[in-house]
Amino acid sequence: MLPDSKFSPLHFGTSGIRAPVIDMTDMECYINTRGFIQYLYKTKEIKPGDNIVLAGDLRPSTPRIMSAVHRAIMDEGCQTLFCGFVPTPTLSYYAWKRHLPAIMVTGSHVPKELNGIKFIKSSEEVLKNDEKDILFQVAEVREKEYSKNENDFLFDVNGFFKQPVSLPSVSEEKNALVEFQKRYTSIFPSNILIGKKIVLYEQSAVGRDLLKNILTSLGAEVICFGRSDKFIPMDTEKMPDFVIDLLKQLAQDFQPFAVVSTDGDSDRPVLADENGSFLSGDLLGTLVSLYLKPDFASMTATCDDAAAIILKKSHIEVVLTKVGSPYVIASMDEKLAQTPNAKVVSWERNGGYLLGSNFTVNNKILDSLPTRDSILPIIIAIIFSVEEGVSLSALISSKLPRHFTVSGAVDNKTKGCESYNAHLGKTIVSSFSPQDSNIKQLNFTSKGLEIIPSMIISNPNLEKEAKSIKLGLESYFNSAFGYTPIISIGYIDGIRISFSNGEVAHLRPSNNAPEFRLYATADTKERANKILADRFVIIPAIISDIV
């Protein structure tokens, strides 16, 4: 029996394909992988017989999905160069050094019930402008597969292989790990972290051994804690309370210089100071940039705006983008197209740090790596402290803004949000957005309305529309909750509301998970947490009024 309508095609999220494991059947993973490879043929990135590098994270569904990917590679006439279980940045570094495309099976930071496939071209990640053409090829593969007779069809009625597919031997895992470790240990002195005690929360991160080896090679005393065979999701944008508490407990128990960890595929860093205080990824990226001194930095619009101010004071050009590595990478590409010799970097609020160009550090070349990396920001922040001769908390206090940014979300399990879905999230955003999609920001100044990008207010209804949007938002974010008047509304990604006292509430639907997120920025941790907690009242109220 051939497939019927119960099989849902997979879709691209913020970066790569992500879906519940139940939907990532062998058939779907196989079809999407063949579509990607046919796209590589079309763009002449590869030819039949070439190698494609494959790796995955440690979640339980990953080996099965890798088998489907491997079979697709073989059936497209290519060879699988298998790196086993390594971090996403490690796989990318290994592949790009050889000008090869790669495929990473990972759900990144999401729970084990979900997984994903990240397609990687031979020189950079798949960007948003690649996705349409890839999906076109996927549709062609699907049509051809569905047209086969039942005897030739590879899959059973549930979308799984009729005959099991074995993975190839893990031939390149060691080489990939050794090369990636050398990227750091060849730049910094082997004794630079002598006398520094660092606690590594290993959990189920695929890069836990790699991170330990790198820190040890630089002279640190590494204390490992919490290694787990059970997959533990680690969302660095909305850190679970148990992890925040654990970081503080580990700092109290071991009195370290720092506490470190990563998410599942080790492309998002976790760094806490000697007190166990977690440093959000947007501020960690800022700290790393103050050390590397790039010419240009792009970061997502969810990052702390005070970080951008600090970077600009250091004569670093800053551009804000939508959330997702494809957007910050595209921003770096645009800058390099204008200024080929520019030193460019980017990062997201999750802390993943990208090098868009080579940098000279200690008179040695630190190779570019335009994909999220967790290890570089962890190492740089610690070494920055050592070179300054201060504790990590002292470095953070002296270099970074005294703002507090926290984030959280609601979903269809949240009281009052039971009707929430991805479509409703987009509806909420459009309800508080100008009809003109070219408008990126509305500023409400003492002189009147200011529009970014700058344009003549030729539509007599535009000022009325802007005022209506402002009043609509202020009916939820009002003085009863402690909010001051709105002075700015940004639309780069979602709705970023700035208040007259400097506080920020940023609303946006997630592209990777069925949830609606709120990022809150304030001068005190207590106030930031209060804004975050307001989501349980404000967002249900918005949903109730819209639905």
Side-chain angles (χ1 to χ4, degrees), residues 42-307:
K42 289 271 187 182
T43 56
K44 301 189 184 305
E45 285 220 9
I46 61 169
K47 61 184 184 300
D50 284 352
N51 288 322
I52 297 177
V53 193
L54 173 63
D57 67 13
L58 297 178
R59 65 187 66 223
S61 60
T62 289
R64 175 187 64 78
I65 296 172
M66 285 199 296
S67 295
V69 171
H70 168 56
R71 176 63 188 264
I73 292 172
M74 292 193 300
D75 287 356
E76 279 296 332
C78 293
Q79 304 296 317
T80 299
L81 206 57
F82 192 35
C83 284
F85 301 91
V86 301
T88 299
T90 302
L91 172 71
S92 298
Y93 188 71
Y94 175 90
W96 290 338
K97 281 291 184 183
R98 293 159 176 79
H99 304 289
L100 297 175
I103 300 173
M104 180 74 182
V105 177
T106 177
S108 186
H109 59 285
V110 299
K112 68 177 181 180
E113 292 78 20
L114 290 86
N115 209 332
I117 302 175
K118 186 165 187 174
F119 297 127
I120 303 166
K121 297 184 294 184
S122 58
S123 60
E124 67 178 355
E125 288 187 18
V126 164
L127 302 182
K128 287 299 173 184
N129 57 11
D130 298 310
E131 292 178 3
K132 182 179 178 181
D133 291 335
I134 293 173
L135 291 175
F136 178 83
Q137 297 301 137
V138 169
E140 286 203 340
V141 173
R142 186 181 304 281
E143 184 177 352
K144 289 178 182 177
E145 286 298 314
Y146 281 18
S147 68
K148 291 180 177 179
N149 65 57
E150 191 164 349
N151 289 333
D152 293 334
F153 200 60
L154 296 172
F155 310 96
D156 63 22
V157 294
N158 295 312
F160 294 98
F161 284 118
K162 294 175 182 176
Q163 299 295 327
V165 176
S166 299
L167 283 167
S169 62
V170 184
S171 59
E172 295 301 307
E173 184 177 86
K174 182 178 180 181
N175 288 337
L177 291 170
V178 167
E179 286 184 11
F180 199 69
Q181 179 171 331
K182 187 178 179 182
R183 179 172 187 254
Y184 306 98
T185 56
S186 64
I187 296 295
F188 299 104
S190 59
N191 62 351
I192 194 166
L193 299 183
I194 287 286
K196 304 303 179 187
K197 183 194 301 180
I198 298 172
V199 175
L200 169 60
Y201 176 38
E202 295 182 300
Q203 29 91 20
S204 55
V206 72
R208 56 195 178 187
D209 294 331
L210 174 64
L211 181 52
K212 176 188 175 182
N213 291 340
I214 291 174
L215 291 169
T216 302
S217 296
L218 295 175
E221 175 192 354
V222 180
I223 299 173
C224 296
F225 177 88
R227 192 180 187 93
S228 176
D229 293 328
K230 178 182 178 182
F231 189 81
I232 299 173
M234 184 79 70
D235 189 344
T236 56
E237 284 194 68
K238 48 173 188 153
M239 288 283 281
D241 289 340
F242 85 89
V243 177
I244 294 294
D245 293 340
L246 177 61
L247 296 176
K248 292 184 180 299
Q249 189 62 53
L250 291 173
Q252 182 177 326
D253 292 346
F254 294 103
Q255 300 294 301
F257 191 79
V259 184
V260 302
S261 189
T262 74
D263 71 330
D265 67 325
S266 295
D267 69 346
R268 301 178 177 212
V270 175
L271 176 67
D273 64 20
E274 72 278 7
N275 303 309
S277 296
F278 170 66
L279 181 63
S280 65
D282 52 349
L283 295 182
L284 175 56
T286 305
L287 195 65
V288 175
S289 297
L290 291 174
Y291 182 89
L292 290 176
K293 298 180 176 61
D295 304 309
F296 171 90
S298 60
M299 56 184 182
T300 56
T302 53
C303 292
D304 190 334
D305 55 352

Side-chain angles (χ1 to χ4, degrees), residues 377-397:
I378 287 173
I379 290 175
I380 291 290
I382 293 172
I383 289 176
F384 198 174
S385 300
V386 170
E387 292 181 349
E388 292 282 312
V390 297
S391 67
L392 191 52
S393 66
L395 180 75
I396 292 168
S397 178

